[in-house]
Amino acid sequence: MILGLICVIFYLAAAGVIASRLFHHQGPNPKLSAIPALIAILVHAYLLNTGILQDPGQNMSMVNVASLIAWVIALTMTIASFSLANAILLPVVYGFSALIVLIGVFVPSSHIMQIDVRPALIIHIVLALFAYGCLIIAFLYALQLSYINTKLKEKKASLLHSSLPPLMTVESIFFKLLFAGTVLLTLSLASGFAFLDDMLAKEQAHKTVLSVIAWVIYCITLVGHNRWGWRGKSVITATVVGACLLTLAYFGSRFVREVLINA
């Protein structure tokens, strides 16, 4: 519990450092904010190691899976902050990671699996986690894109003196993330159908169907952008819908089984 609270404090400290200078013309100090962020990420990694790797197998509860995804996103966004325009997203990422860690501290849960005896399942899970993480980061960039676009239309003077990145820069990063995430999601679905026998089983069918629908939405969005120059509100809306569908696919039934039924 103490390590969990320490992790939460450092995540919130990193978010506070960034948020306090977000609209300053010089922007947040990446080195200053990286120190508490990296400490939080290291402590978070230790918590994941002890929480997931247990004697009977692997505790892949909904909270642990969400915590693992939050850790991947926090680590990726922190590393990317030194070269990409994502300062406005970091307080959200760190705040969400802190919330997930806090939930893990006070609401522990257990769902033991034997992943090590099924290598094909490991491949599928790793691809699925990275696909979801990448597409959620793309979702965050879509929100940033929408925010900057709205402020530009409102001709806010504060935006001109802030450290927010140019619209075209954010849009370029967004479409690269969307493409990478869609490729990973494609590989995840392909590995599932190729290696697993229960992709369309009763307890897995909803996850597969929702994931495929999200995949179709992402593919159509990318094709529309490349062929017809789609951008703006329609692309952002499609990305939000795809992220919601994937979240329902990954966590919907597990929330019902692990939280509502056991409540």
Side-chain angles (χ1 to χ4, degrees), residues 39-52:
I39 293 174
I41 288 169
L42 288 174
V43 176
H44 194 170
Y46 176 80
L47 293 172
L48 285 170
N49 181 65
T50 57
I52 293 178

Side-chain angles (χ1 to χ4, degrees), residues 125-141:
I125 289 176
V126 169
L127 287 171
L129 288 176
F130 277 99
Y132 183 73
C134 190
L135 289 168
I136 288 300
I137 295 174
F139 161 75
L140 292 174
Y141 267 91

Side-chain angles (χ1 to χ4, degrees), residues 168-236:
M168 295 305 293
T169 300
V170 176
E171 187 177 75
S172 175
I173 297 171
F174 161 70
F175 280 111
K176 289 177 181 177
L177 286 167
L178 190 63
F179 175 76
T182 303
V183 170
L184 289 170
L185 182 59
T186 303
L187 294 174
S188 172
L189 290 171
S191 66
F193 283 112
F195 300 141
L196 306 179
D197 299 325
D198 59 349
M199 287 288 284
L200 294 176
K202 183 178 179 180
E203 62 274 10
Q204 296 290 338
H206 72 283
K207 176 181 178 180
T208 302
V209 170
L210 289 173
S211 297
V212 169
I213 294 173
W215 176 79
V216 170
I217 290 175
Y218 288 131
C219 288
I220 292 174
T221 302
L222 287 171
V223 171
H225 172 68
N226 291 326
R227 290 286 300 275
W228 301 291
W230 291 359
R231 53 174 31 91
K233 187 176 181 180
S234 60
V235 170
I236 293 171

Side-chain angles (χ1 to χ4, degrees), residues 18-19 22 28 81 84-92 141 144 163-165:
I18 296 170
L22 192 58
S81 67
L84 299 178
N86 64 0
I88 193 174
L89 302 176
L90 289 176
V92 176
Y141 267 91
Q144 182 181 16
S163 61
L164 294 180

